[in-house]
Amino acid sequence: MATPPGARGTAQSAPTHPHPATAGHPTVLTGATVVLPTGTVDNGQVAIDGTRITTTAAENAQVIDVTGHYVIPGFIDIHNHGGGGASFTSGSVEDILKGIHTHRLHGTTTLVASTVTGDMDFLTQRAGLLSELAEQGEIAGIHFEGPFISPCRKGAHSEALLRDPDPAEVRKLIDAARGRATMVTLATELPGGTDSVRLLAEHGVIAAIGHTDATYEQTVEAIDAGATVATHLFNAMPPLGHRSPGPIAALLEDDRITVELINDGTHLHPAALQLAFHRAGADRVAFITDAMDAAGFGDGRYWLGPLEVEVADGVARLLADGTIAGSTLTLDRAFKRAVTVDGLSVEDAVTALSATPARLLGMDDRIGSLEPGKDADLVLLDADYELKGVMRRGEWVVGPQLR
């Protein structure tokens, strides 16, 4: 598949960096409302030394008073196709790094890069390129969304390039990723689907059920075979029915499943989000962006794989038929909406944006919460939940904006 032409959008200004901080210099943030795994602490502090959070502040630490602000863990996005005008599926290394940085400016300190449906040779080539960035620590792994999905629920994927999930072909992608494949989305009801789930589980790769036309019973079978994630629950799957409950009921009711939710106000009605939280709980919800190139960039014409997309008023749709084509969401907006519109507690929003995805990725010993010994990945928010600072591994990506 040829590399599609570049995005044609309007760049948006990035947050400024007004607070100089020496990389690696001990720092302590004081006076904050700090969200910890054990609860929220008022007038708390977070001490950082090098790349890690520490128990106590060093004597020579730079003290920054952030009274009136929240300090929360850095966001973790397990499903993201690009941003800043750049595509993780088709962009150059420079483009991909630009997309990663765009999301870091919005608080996402850990990101899994997602591809879209393409031919197998193209996808294996992309897997090799993305695996190098994973080895360098720029991304946490690779998520293959397609080509092993249902033509009935293809969403913004090219139907001509779809194929059944033959375990041998699934294995090709895993091998091409050189140990950096994190997740594969499958329509598990297709021929080879259940066997592919077992293969993924055996290799330590998350099998995600999505873009599926499965019945309730077929979904239960896939979960029993080892599937553990619902790709953007509710979207690209049959609706919940009282006689034919389909995949949604099976995915919500099973404690082995983590459900992805796109909280942008377009993909989900607030009542659907509340249903997911009430049934699954924050410990089983991972907020994602499913972002495409336009995230953090602007309206305009873009490409998602081989399909042309038009973004208008921040909503991405295929030019051909108006199908929603990913999102332009950033996780700082997802957080604010969760608290101010959906009525979630700050603690539950933090869990869904940090702790749950960290655990799902098997990285909760390093990221996902503000605890001594973990990476100094954090987000600073004001009282209105607006982003005012981002730190990643002890370095300010967005310096504290306290004026």
Side-chain angles (χ1 to χ4, degrees), residues 194-213:
T194 303
D195 287 339
S196 291
V197 169
R198 293 192 183 100
L199 172 73
L200 291 167
E202 289 168 1
H203 285 81
V205 179
I206 296 166
I209 300 172
H211 287 276
T212 176
D213 205 40

Side-chain angles (χ1 to χ4, degrees), residues 88-380:
F88 298 152
T89 296
S90 57
S92 65
V93 170
E94 182 180 6
D95 291 334
I96 295 167
L97 291 173
K98 178 183 178 183
I100 293 166
H101 185 65
T102 295
H103 285 282
R104 287 180 185 166
L105 292 174
H106 292 276
T108 298
T109 51
T110 300
L111 179 150
V112 174
S114 302
T115 62
V116 297
T117 293
D119 66 50
M120 288 298 292
D121 287 344
F122 179 79
L123 288 174
T124 54
Q125 181 270 331
R126 295 305 292 181
L129 184 151
L130 291 169
S131 67
E132 292 180 8
L133 292 173
E135 288 161 5
Q136 294 165 16
E138 298 291 347
I139 60 175
I142 308 166
H143 165 218
F144 297 100
E145 188 180 23
F148 311 115
I149 60 177
S150 171
C152 301
R153 305 287 175 178
K154 65 182 184 300
H157 291 256
S158 171
E159 185 168 356
L161 295 172
L162 301 182
R163 58 183 64 215
D164 291 338
D166 179 344
E169 300 228 295
V170 174
R171 179 64 187 268
K172 285 181 185 178
L173 290 185
I174 298 173
D175 290 345
R178 304 201 301 263
R180 300 295 178 169
T182 296
M183 182 164 63
V184 177
T185 294
L186 306 134
T188 54
E189 76 279 6
L190 295 176
T194 303
D195 287 339
S196 291
V197 169
R198 293 192 183 100
L199 172 73
L200 291 167
E202 289 168 1
H203 285 81
V205 179
I206 296 166
I209 300 172
H211 287 276
T212 176
D213 205 40
T215 64
Y216 174 89
E217 291 77 15
Q218 288 170 327
T219 306
V220 169
E221 181 183 4
I223 296 169
D224 287 340
T228 56
V229 165
T231 293
H232 44 55
L233 186 74
F234 299 109
N235 296 113
M237 59 182 62
L240 182 66
H242 64 291
R243 292 192 182 94
S244 177
I248 293 172
L251 293 164
L252 278 178
E253 73 181 8
D254 198 304
D255 289 344
R256 293 171 290 183
I257 294 293
T258 298
V259 298
E260 296 181 347
L261 297 177
I262 308 171
N263 192 23
D264 62 351
T266 298
H267 282 79
L268 295 176
H269 189 284
L273 183 141
Q274 288 291 343
L275 173 64
F277 263 88
H278 287 160
R279 182 59 189 90
D283 289 339
R284 287 181 49 217
V285 172
F287 280 139
I288 61 164
T289 61
D290 194 16
M292 45 79 70
D293 311 17
F297 199 66
D299 290 353
R301 295 279 182 90
Y302 299 83
W303 292 88
L304 191 59
L307 304 179
E308 193 167 10
V309 175
E310 178 151 23
V311 179
D313 298 324
V315 178
R317 296 184 181 274
L318 291 183
L319 197 62
D321 61 11
T323 298
I324 293 176
S327 87
T328 63
L329 185 64
T330 53
L331 285 182
D332 57 334
R333 286 169 44 211
F335 182 95
K336 182 172 181 176
R337 181 179 176 85
V339 177
T340 62
V341 176
D342 301 311
L344 299 183
S345 68
V346 169
E347 293 82 2
D348 278 353
V350 165
T351 298
L353 281 160
S354 302
T356 297
R359 186 176 64 253
L360 182 69
L361 295 176
M363 299 175 68
D364 52 328
D365 60 331
R366 287 180 40 209
I367 58 175
S369 61
L370 301 176
E371 296 178 272
K374 292 191 176 183
D375 288 354
D377 293 352
L378 58 85
V379 172
L380 185 66

Side-chain angles (χ1 to χ4, degrees), residues 30-53:
T30 65
T33 300
V34 184
V35 181
L36 302 172
T38 53
T40 298
V41 176
D42 293 326
N43 194 27
Q45 72 173 33
V46 179
I48 299 105
D49 197 345
T51 63
R52 302 296 178 103
I53 297 169

